[in-house]
Amino acid sequence: MATPQDPAEQPASAQPTPVAEVVAARLARATLAEPVRTLLQEALDVAERPPTSATGRIRLDSVHVAGYRGIGVRAHLKLTPGDGVNLVVGRNGSGKTSLAEGIETAFTGTNTRWQRADRNRREVWRNLHGAAAPSIEVKLAIGGDSGRSTLTRTWPGDTFEESISELRRPGHGRTSADDAPWARALSDYRPFLSYSDLGEVTSGRPTQLYDTVNIVLGLGYLSAVDSHLQAQESQLNGASKRVRDEVPGLLDALFELPDEDRALRAATALEAKVPNLAELEHLLSALPTADDDRQAELRLVAQLRGPDPGRVADAASRLAAAIGAVERVRTTDAEEARQRADLLAQALAHRARHSGAQACPVCGTDQVLTDEWAARAAEQEAALRREGAAAETARRDLRVAEQELRVLVQEPAQVPPALADMWQAWIACRAIADLGVLVEQAVPAARAVAEASAAASREAAAELAARDERWRPLYERLADWTGRARAVEAGRQQLAWLRKARAWLGGVTTNLKAQRMADFGDDAQRIWEHLRQESNVSLKKVHLKGAERASVRKLVMDVSIDGADASALSVMSQGEQYSLALALFLARANAADSPFGFLVIDDPVQSMDASKVDGLARVLHELGQRRQVVVFTHDSRLQRAFRSQGLGTTFLEVERGESSTVRIRAVSDPVQQALADARALASTQSLPPAARTHVLPGLCRAVLENAFTEAAWVRNYRSGGDEHALQAALTDADRFNKLAALALFGDIGRTADLARELAAVCGGWHAVDIVRQCQDGAHVGGASIPDPHRFVDQVADVAEKVRRRPVAGA
Amino acid sequence: MTPTDVAGTTIDELLRTADLLLAGHLDASAAARHRGASFALRTALEIAIDRTLEAAIPGLSRTTMRAKLLCLRHYTAPETAVRASALWHHVCLGCHYHQYEMGPTHAQVNAWRHEIAAVAGRLAPRSL
């Protein structure tokens, strides 16, 4: 029963564009300096993207629940993962809420009902029949993915909070649901709504409402982008401030080094209105090498080393001893002694060759080379040889000792002027020819020069250290400061660019926020218009009051009652408040940056009156153009509202059997459903005759009843009739004829004209007979139906013609 | 109208039919089986009421059900009449789709079935 839609019912705004894309597009169009653009681009890239960018839109493909709450054996809900409304109908306790909660639990590991429940009532979450281990499996269709993803949740123990989740996504492997790309969006764009959520919206604090709506506007991404820019800006500002603040301290330290020429120059450079960084850098580069005389002299003196007085004294005493030894052999001519010893040795050898000849072979005197002589001569030869050797040794030792002492006299490369005389005296020792004088003078000269040099060196080293101690840390401080000051100067341009970037972003944010808030407000307003129906409260404007971090921020809903301004929540009835909450929630579900292409709503109609239910059906249908809407309801009014207004939906029915066996099946439409049931009965052989005479006509009457009821609603909707009146009339139509009159004429009183109209609509009077047989058969008389199949076919024909009539008549 | 209808259907037969439907031997939805059983049960109740009235004043069973239920108070124990009236209205709810109302549950129909057997039993001795 597709009926053309009123153009006014069409969605006012198309799918809004995710904020990241909007900003990227605006940036591309903006006239900005290239560095500013680069800064913005970097910040846009760095900031955490809104969830839509992370993944395509998520839709539900199917839900399997087992062993959870009202569901025992695995129940299976198959959905079409596309846009559109899926209405899952089931009576209270049929397990539909367990299904709705199951979806939420699969995603979040918990559900709002559980969180709000009293501790004592939290025990029961497993199915009491315990036929299956609790598990929930949701198959997801994620935009852009090649296959379905599977989200499962199981419980290893008895604690509800301790569940294990797994997300299997093609091309992404297995992860926990907590790591799913939409994990954060679950709280921002909660795609689950239960009746109690609506209560929360109306009873929540104003700041909560503000935050909820603010998140929905999707500008959190822009705040994050701005935070990045702001962080850079405050870093640069902070560095600049610190550099400025450190100048007085540095100056004080520099003035404490009055003997330092460079300290004074540095202070002058620092004190300038704009510190002379170039001068400071020059000073700092020159600092490490000694460039003043005093510093050079100090380093020289510090390195000065005199002779070792101990070694000089040793050498001198060895030389003195050698001199004494030489003095003792001074009269000995060592060569003379050796030759005389040789002569005596030859004479002794001659005497030995001539076997005791006593005549001298030189002078010929006989009887002189006696044995006595020989003994004396041998003795003398040995003495002569000893004497010569000793003289030779003493002389050699003297030369060595002299050399040893002289070698100690070393001249340094440079001698400080103050010690020049002392060093001169020491160095002169090298030239003293008289060894005795040398011995005498070397030792005191060495001692004097060594002591003076060591003292001077110590002093110089101490002075150097003192200079370094004050200077080095200051040098480092100054170098550090100069480096940072240079960076600050270089960042000055960057800072200007950053300010420009933030200003641009701020403008875009303000503009987008206003625009999106207006869109959101319009959405809420439009939804409210659908839901309010006869309510005299009209929603004029929805806006955010106060800044994001202000403590007084709130969501303001301006309403008027019969034209007079009022505050929204105070003047509304409970049902109206829920409707308003629903308006806000549905507008939020429509948010551009939500990654959820689906929305699960559990029993949204509870406190609504009939006319609001019609409005809700339209709102849901509208939302269904852009989202997969799954509505669980126990209330057949919503189903009726969809059908009577010709809004296409998928109907699913939840039935609960023995032992928590929950079955879900697609329902075609009530007329087709009743027909299918009638046909099933007609085909059953084993049933007693009473089933054919008393049950079949009843089921066939139900077919007609459905057809007439639908026709009555459609007629009423088309003609803009009052829904309350029709509702009342239908309740009043206690007899079948009255219902038929409402359907065919829109007038409960025209039962007399029924037969003729029915014959006209169905093209023959047989239709009147068939309707009468259905009526009779439902009561004591029963109906005589020879051919059940043919009868059902005829009923189907009548029903179809009744249903088509409004279209033909329109 | 006679206590049994043209096809000679009896209360027992209707109750058995309801039992069969409740037992689920039919390839129809649970809603249809429960609704079908409701039709059978309502007819059984109506036959029991008609029988009582017909026994008292022949021809009384040919009026509207509303009138019959009002009359019934005078021809049976008032308590039984109230039970029969309440039961009839309940079963009627099970017979109609009532603007897309979901059908009655198994438990509901089963309860009606036993109540109707009881009420039919109470109506019967008085009429005999």
Side-chain angles (χ1 to χ4, degrees):
Chain A
M1 53 182 221
T3 55
Q5 286 243 330
D6 181 348
E9 304 296 327
Q10 294 295 339
S13 52
Q15 183 78 48
T17 322
V19 68
E21 288 171 32
V22 174
V23 176
R26 290 208 186 185
L27 183 59
R29 283 202 310 272
T31 44
L32 289 166
E34 207 45 46
V36 178
R37 188 188 303 279
T38 310
L39 277 172
L40 280 163
Q41 193 56 56
E42 280 169 4
L44 287 170
D45 291 343
V46 171
E48 191 187 343
R49 293 249 157 178
T52 22
S53 313
T55 167
R57 280 237 159 78
I58 305 149
R59 290 189 167 79
L60 305 173
D61 180 72
S62 66
V63 183
H64 287 88
V65 179
Y68 177 73
R69 287 202 43 193
I71 298 173
V73 191
R74 189 170 152 104
H76 176 213
L77 172 62
K78 173 78 184 102
L79 297 162
T80 313
D83 293 336
V85 177
N86 298 269
L87 204 55
V88 186
V89 190
R91 71 181 73 255
N92 288 329
S94 64
K96 64 180 163 38
T97 297
S98 305
L99 278 169
E101 263 182 38
I103 300 172
E104 183 180 351
T105 306
F107 274 93
T108 64
T110 182
N111 57 71
T112 40
R113 182 161 141 156
W114 173 266
Q115 286 166 335
R116 290 198 195 104
D118 185 77
R119 294 217 161 269
N120 299 325
R121 299 182 62 186
R122 282 183 163 194
E123 303 302 320
V124 190
W125 65 272
R126 282 165 170 274
N127 182 257
L128 293 173
H129 291 99
S135 77
I136 301 171
E137 179 186 301
V138 180
K139 283 212 189 312
L140 305 171
I142 301 175
D145 279 13
S146 54
R148 298 280 186 263
S149 299
T150 310
L151 180 64
T152 52
R153 197 168 284 275
T154 49
W155 285 264
D158 286 329
T159 315
F160 178 69
E161 286 87 349
E162 288 166 15
S163 57
I164 297 170
S165 66
E166 185 187 83
L167 171 69
R168 274 171 289 155
R169 187 175 168 202
H172 293 77
R174 291 156 186 255
T175 52
S176 157
D178 303 334
D179 301 326
W182 55 78
R184 235 194 70 181
L186 275 171
S187 59
D188 292 353
Y189 302 100
R190 250 177 72 77
F192 314 102
L193 174 71
S194 66
Y195 189 69
S196 46
D197 285 318
L198 294 179
E200 190 125 292
V201 172
T202 51
S203 63
R205 282 179 289 122
T207 50
Q208 279 176 335
L209 276 179
Y210 179 104
D211 295 344
T212 306
V213 172
N214 197 37
I215 284 170
V216 172
L217 297 183
L219 301 180
Y221 172 61
L222 294 189
S223 298
V225 173
D226 187 54
S227 298
H228 279 282
L229 294 173
Q230 194 187 15
Q232 294 176 52
E233 190 187 333
S234 58
Q235 200 189 344
L236 288 177
N237 275 330
S240 168
K241 185 174 184 303
R242 276 193 302 280
V243 161
R244 263 199 321 279
D245 290 352
E246 281 171 23
V247 170
L250 268 175
L251 283 173
D252 287 350
L254 284 171
F255 286 136
E256 278 173 22
L257 289 176
D259 54 339
E260 260 292 349
D261 171 46
R262 284 156 311 181
L264 287 171
R265 278 154 64 195
T268 313
L270 258 181
E271 266 185 319
K273 193 163 186 183
V274 176
N276 188 343
L277 296 179
E279 167 71 1
L280 283 169
E281 277 160 358
H282 171 72
L283 282 173
L284 287 164
S285 70
L287 271 176
T289 59
D291 68 346
D292 72 327
D293 298 346
R294 176 68 185 143
Q295 186 82 3
E297 188 189 327
L298 283 173
R299 278 165 199 251
L300 198 65
V301 175
Q303 287 162 7
L304 191 63
R305 292 289 174 274
D308 182 343
R311 281 180 70 193
V312 173
D314 285 351
S317 67
R318 275 199 300 278
L319 182 58
I323 292 168
V326 168
E327 191 59 34
R328 279 192 297 282
V329 295
R330 191 171 53 89
T331 50
T332 308
D333 185 330
E335 183 57 19
E336 178 64 21
R338 195 179 53 82
Q339 285 180 8
R340 278 184 61 199
D342 287 348
L343 189 61
L344 283 172
Q346 279 174 359
L348 283 168
H350 173 83
R351 181 177 171 269
R353 274 196 311 271
H354 296 279
S355 54
Q358 293 185 345
C360 173
V362 181
C363 63
T365 312
D366 204 12
Q367 294 296 322
V368 280
L369 305 182
T370 59
D371 288 345
E372 193 185 339
W373 172 85
R376 221 172 44 238
E379 202 175 298
Q380 200 176 353
E381 184 205 345
L384 274 172
R385 286 195 191 281
R386 272 198 308 278
E387 207 173 292
E392 220 165 85
T393 304
R395 294 213 172 89
R396 199 174 59 239
D397 285 353
L398 182 66
R399 280 195 303 277
V400 169
E402 183 193 352
Q403 196 57 36
E404 275 180 356
L405 182 57
R406 288 201 199 274
V407 102
L408 289 174
V409 184
Q410 293 290 338
E411 193 176 0
Q414 271 181 298
V415 176
L419 303 180
D421 289 351
M422 228 177 268
W423 275 91
Q424 211 57 57
W426 166 240
I427 288 161
C429 288
R430 231 191 255 175
I432 295 172
D434 186 327
L435 293 180
V437 176
L438 177 62
V439 168
E440 255 170 51
Q441 291 189 354
V443 175
R447 184 170 296 124
V449 83
E451 281 171 4
S453 293
S457 170
R458 269 198 309 279
E459 261 171 51
E463 192 179 338
L464 274 177
R467 283 185 161 211
D468 269 6
E469 218 164 285
R470 282 176 296 170
W471 188 230
R472 186 177 297 121
L474 196 59
Y475 168 83
E476 278 163 13
R477 252 174 91 184
L478 201 59
D480 174 54
W481 184 89
T482 309
R484 283 186 292 121
R486 186 57 90 186
V488 165
E489 199 182 75
R492 217 173 293 284
Q493 179 61 56
Q494 181 82 353
L495 198 59
W497 287 332
L498 276 169
R499 289 196 182 112
K500 281 211 176 73
R502 288 193 67 200
W504 181 84
L505 190 67
V508 170
T509 307
T510 310
N511 176 278
L512 265 183
K513 187 164 183 170
Q515 193 182 314
R516 288 204 160 190
M517 191 59 229
D519 285 351
F520 179 85
D522 288 351
D523 255 7
Q525 232 173 320
R526 202 160 36 82
I527 293 170
W528 172 248
E529 285 308 312
H530 280 309
L531 295 180
R532 69 180 276 213
Q533 298 292 334
E534 283 85 20
S535 166
N536 55 359
V537 178
S538 63
L539 186 60
K540 285 167 64 187
K541 195 180 174 199
V542 180
H543 61 102
L544 295 172
K545 190 172 177 181
E548 252 165 61
R549 290 175 189 87
S551 55
V552 291
R553 65 193 188 277
K554 64 176 180 177
L555 180 73
V556 179
M557 292 170 282
D558 292 334
V559 299
S560 70
I561 317 162
D562 298 330
D565 290 350
S567 142
L569 297 177
S570 59
V571 297
M572 290 177 145
S573 73
Q574 184 82 350
E576 283 169 342
Q577 284 186 18
Y578 279 121
S579 296
L580 185 62
L582 200 59
L584 291 179
F585 181 88
L586 293 179
R588 162 180 158 181
N590 204 16
D593 292 296
S594 168
F596 303 108
F598 71 90
L599 173 64
V600 175
I601 309 177
D602 190 18
D603 251 342
V605 298
Q606 296 198 10
S607 63
M608 284 187 185
D609 46 39
S611 52
K612 282 201 179 61
V613 175
D614 281 342
L616 177 65
R618 285 201 294 277
V619 169
L620 292 175
H621 181 257
E622 196 177 286
L623 189 63
Q625 313 282 314
R626 280 166 284 171
R627 290 283 193 279
Q628 179 193 31
V629 183
V630 185
V631 184
F632 291 87
T633 180
H634 76 284
D635 195 322
S636 52
R637 290 183 298 166
L638 194 56
Q639 191 179 358
R640 195 219 67 221
F642 272 98
R643 288 212 192 282
S644 67
Q645 298 175 95
L647 308 172
T649 44
T650 306
F651 290 102
L652 297 154
E653 199 169 86
V654 185
E655 264 179 13
R656 183 185 157 99
E658 297 293 312
S659 304
S660 304
T661 310
V662 173
R663 293 207 314 164
I664 301 138
R665 43 183 228 165
V667 181
S668 40
D669 69 74
V671 177
Q672 293 301 327
Q673 179 72 39
L675 266 174
D677 290 340
R679 280 189 216 283
L681 190 76
S683 306
T684 308
Q685 303 294 324
S686 59
L687 286 177
R692 197 195 296 168
T693 56
H694 288 85
V695 177
L696 184 60
L699 290 183
C700 286
R701 202 191 72 169
V703 173
L704 296 173
E705 199 181 329
N706 286 333
F708 280 124
T709 309
E710 184 184 295
W713 277 105
V714 171
R715 159 181 280 282
N716 191 63
Y717 177 68
R718 291 305 199 71
S719 62
D722 181 15
E723 305 186 26
H724 278 305
L726 178 68
Q727 191 78 50
L730 282 171
T731 313
D732 214 30
D734 53 344
R735 300 193 69 95
F736 189 81
N737 284 346
K738 292 184 185 170
L739 175 62
L742 270 177
L744 296 181
F745 308 114
D747 179 356
I748 200 166
R750 289 181 64 181
T751 46
D753 303 332
L754 269 181
R756 191 166 38 78
E757 184 67 17
L758 203 55
V761 169
C762 300
W765 289 90
H766 67 281
V768 181
D769 285 339
I770 287 164
V771 172
R772 183 163 301 136
Q773 270 184 298
C774 289
Q775 287 178 267
D776 292 346
H779 291 282
V780 177
S784 170
I785 298 167
D787 185 346
H789 287 288
R790 183 158 177 271
F791 185 71
V792 176
D793 286 344
Q794 288 172 320
V795 169
D797 184 57
V798 172
E800 197 54 31
K801 285 185 167 135
V802 167
R803 293 176 86 187
R804 283 171 188 271
R805 186 173 170 277
V807 180
Chain B
M1 192 71 63
T2 55
T4 55
D5 75 303
V6 284
T9 314
T10 65
I11 292 176
D12 283 350
E13 204 178 336
L14 287 163
L15 290 179
R16 273 204 308 283
T17 305
D19 288 342
L20 280 169
L21 287 166
L22 282 174
H25 305 303
L26 185 62
D27 184 30
S29 67
R33 287 186 286 107
H34 299 160
R35 212 183 302 276
S38 302
F39 280 117
L41 289 172
R42 186 173 69 173
T43 308
L45 180 61
E46 288 177 355
I47 290 172
I49 292 166
D50 283 0
R51 201 158 55 190
T52 309
L53 295 175
E54 196 67 25
I57 300 167
L60 192 57
S61 67
R62 290 174 194 276
T63 180
T64 64
M65 202 60 205
R66 191 186 157 108
K68 285 189 224 179
L69 288 170
L70 288 169
C71 293
L72 192 61
R73 298 184 194 177
H74 301 283
Y75 305 105
T76 186
E79 187 214 326
T80 311
V82 169
R83 272 174 77 178
S85 178
L87 195 49
W88 186 81
H89 282 106
H90 277 143
V91 183
C92 275
L93 291 179
C95 293
H96 290 266
Y97 270 83
H98 256 267
Q99 292 135 38
Y100 298 88
E101 198 64 65
M102 277 160 282
T105 64
H106 185 277
Q108 273 177 310
V109 180
N110 204 35
W112 293 337
R113 186 242 172 273
H114 289 101
E115 177 75 353
I116 283 170
V119 169
R122 279 176 170 274
L123 285 170
R126 187 76 181 260
S127 66
L128 289 174

